[in-house]
Amino acid sequence: MKKIIYSISVATMTLLVGCSNDFTDTENLLEKSLSNYYARPQDIDEAMGGVYNALYTAGVHSDEGIAANLLSDMMFGGGGPDDRSAKNVDSFQDPEEDTYKDLWVQTYNGIYRCNMLLEKVPEADYSNYFLTEEESVEFVNQTLAEAYFMRGFLYFRAAKFFGGIPIINQTDAPKDVPRASITDTYAQIAADFKMAIDLFPSTPFTSIPTERYGHANKWVAEAYMAKAFLYYTGYMTNIEGQAASDLPLPEGGSVSKSQAISYLDDCINNSGYGLANDFRNLWPYSYVNESAKDTILPWAATEGLKWVGQDGLTPTFGTGNKEFMFVQRYSTTNWDWGQQYNNRMPLFFGIRDNTELIPFGQGWGWCPVNPTLWSQWDDADPRKKGSILQLGDPDQGTGGWQADKGDHETGLVNKKYITLKHDDPDPAGEDGVKGMFYFLYDMNNGDPLQLWAAQDFVYLRFADVLLMHSEISETADGLNAVRGRAGLGAVGYSLNALKEERLHEFAFEGLRWFDLVRWGDVDDAFGTSINVRNSGVDATYSVEYRPETKGLVPIPESEVRLSNGVYEQNPGW
């Protein structure tokens, strides 16, 4: 079973920060404090757990995968009549004042924890914990690299949603600084990624221990430098109208197109990552028959699907995954720890009010799939049925689907992130029908329907590295490698071919919205009227993108008020 996600680490960090101002000057020899913490490798592991914990947000609209999919053109708001928040985000409205507050707050929680590591680790001596001085230096460099990467990652995650944000790079720095410009924000992101790249060891993925899976490494940092390059240059050119060809650095200089390509070349040639043999084997539905010990998804059996798993090359379940490079790990949780430690995408995107379907489980019905994507997608591409679930199809296990249970129904839902369930595979078992991960991880958490989706969320996979390389270099090698995996013929490079490939390869993975924005395609992606069913009534779905927002969401109003006029709200909000 996977470890509980960082809960102990965060509790420790909270106590340290909360108790740092003592009434005496006496050294505390029995308990941890900011003065004696960070002195042992174990302390660093716990503190780094606190950094990664900042990926988790209690507010569902601060969950990157959910927010980005609701904003995109290929998924609708959905849900039931009372699910106004999903429909508001989908239609570029925000009558609530703090829809994205947790994303803002967790960004700066994580940045503070990164800053603490970057300040404390260089001051400590870890040599007594290692056999050689070289091992001690490697430990320090690995820690600093990871802290730099995660600080850059957290800045980047927030900047994609909010634009320019305050840059706070020291633990004792003022917290009431104004928002930086978009250019200065991305310069900081690039600087952090560059420091991480320089400090990380060039250890191939195949040599990284399984227990390090989910942590960043040199190859992830190189890929994210390319992501930041593409997003910044695209956003400034196509949204701000200021042509940009380089990614700036804070003290002058920049990351050029050729340097971005060089980082990707290094990742492609030396990382040890690669494409899975079958795109469909990346997703948990490819394991549901094996988990159930019965053929409950006939299509997967016919296609001979075999899940690669989600624990690297030597997973607990599956054949071995060399494609997932950076993920948000999920595990068993309970209501006391928080639902955010369980992946909410399968629950919120699941089929609404269809309790009897197997193997695809019940959910809240958010984000129905735009039928335009289905109709325009070539049937010869196996990723079509590997990404989209047709409701009412016995071969897909949905023959008993009951329609008219929610809004914006199209008869299509995503298949990548959806709850899976089956009967107890133990003939003597008494659990009945539960989620697949309930059985895999031996969950016992009181309310399995809402807490049994322990599927990792994928931030980065190797296919993205290949397609970014094609986009920046304007060559077709990476593009055709991804197409070849899908059994499709080679094509010459064009930006339109690249855009279509990214749409099909990464549908519903939270990348589409950001691609539309950086390409400047967001203005024309919305406005089409599409026939849907709204809780049993024929209706028309249409939303209008508001270009005055510049592809950004609002800064939480409570944060704007707390700043006493220092923060300016984003345009259009």
Side-chain angles (χ1 to χ4, degrees), residues 157-442:
R157 181 177 71 165
K160 289 184 297 180
F161 283 99
F162 298 121
I165 56 175
I167 296 173
I168 304 174
N169 287 345
Q170 293 82 36
T171 56
D172 60 355
K175 305 300 187 290
D176 56 351
V177 296
R179 296 173 62 189
S181 68
I182 291 176
T183 293
D184 287 346
T185 300
Y186 276 85
Q188 179 61 52
I189 292 165
D192 281 345
F193 288 162
K194 188 174 188 302
M195 285 295 295
I197 292 168
D198 292 343
L199 287 167
F200 270 127
S202 299
T203 307
F205 167 63
T206 51
S207 299
I208 296 175
T210 300
E211 59 266 23
R212 294 288 302 171
Y213 184 74
H215 286 255
N217 56 48
K218 180 185 186 73
W219 323 111
V220 173
E222 289 181 330
Y224 263 88
M225 182 71 89
K227 275 183 174 285
F229 174 90
L230 281 169
Y231 199 83
Y232 174 78
T233 56
Y235 189 91
M236 294 302 293
T237 300
N238 297 314
I239 301 298
E240 293 292 346
Q242 303 173 25
S245 58
D246 292 351
L247 176 63
L249 292 167
E251 304 300 329
S254 61
V255 177
S256 67
K257 175 178 178 177
S258 61
Q259 288 172 311
I261 293 171
S262 178
Y263 285 131
L264 292 175
D265 280 334
D266 188 34
C267 181
I268 291 168
N269 295 326
N270 300 309
S271 69
Y273 289 103
L275 295 175
N277 64 326
D278 189 321
F279 165 92
R280 299 167 298 180
N281 287 337
L282 295 170
W283 312 108
Y285 59 71
S286 60
Y287 194 74
V288 71
N289 290 332
E290 188 169 349
S291 178
K293 299 181 180 179
D294 190 12
T295 302
I296 57 175
L297 182 57
W299 166 79
T302 301
E303 297 295 316
L305 302 186
K306 296 287 184 181
W307 191 33
V308 296
Q310 56 180 24
D311 297 305
L313 291 177
T314 56
T316 308
F317 308 100
T319 61
N321 191 332
K322 61 182 179 180
E323 183 160 348
F324 288 1
M325 296 179 64
F326 193 55
V327 302
Q328 184 169 348
R329 306 238 65 188
Y330 288 102
S331 185
T332 181
T333 185
N334 59 45
W335 291 112
D336 291 334
W337 296 336
Q339 192 186 29
Q340 67 267 29
Y341 299 113
N342 201 245
N343 192 340
R344 289 168 294 187
M345 286 176 67
L347 174 67
F348 280 76
F349 295 0
I351 304 166
R352 187 174 180 85
D353 287 351
N354 273 250
T355 61
E356 303 302 319
L357 288 184
I358 291 178
F360 295 104
Q362 181 184 359
W364 305 157
W366 289 21
C367 290
V369 170
N370 188 334
T372 303
L373 177 59
W374 177 266
S375 63
Q376 294 180 353
W377 200 334
D378 188 347
D379 288 339
D381 188 340
R383 296 173 299 184
K384 180 178 180 177
K385 287 190 175 182
S387 303
I388 301 176
L389 177 63
Q390 291 175 285
L391 302 178
D393 182 354
D395 196 45
Q396 295 290 338
T398 61
W401 172 60
Q402 297 179 12
D404 297 334
K405 299 293 186 179
D407 292 345
H408 301 158
E409 278 190 2
T410 64
L412 302 167
V413 297
N414 104 92
K415 193 184 282 185
K416 293 178 178 178
Y417 292 102
I418 187 169
T419 303
L420 296 162
K421 65 181 184 180
H422 56 72
D423 205 350
D424 194 329
D426 182 354
E430 299 178 352
D431 279 328
V433 175
K434 303 288 186 184
M436 184 177 82
F437 286 99
Y438 174 94
F439 294 112
L440 295 184
Y441 296 135
D442 192 25

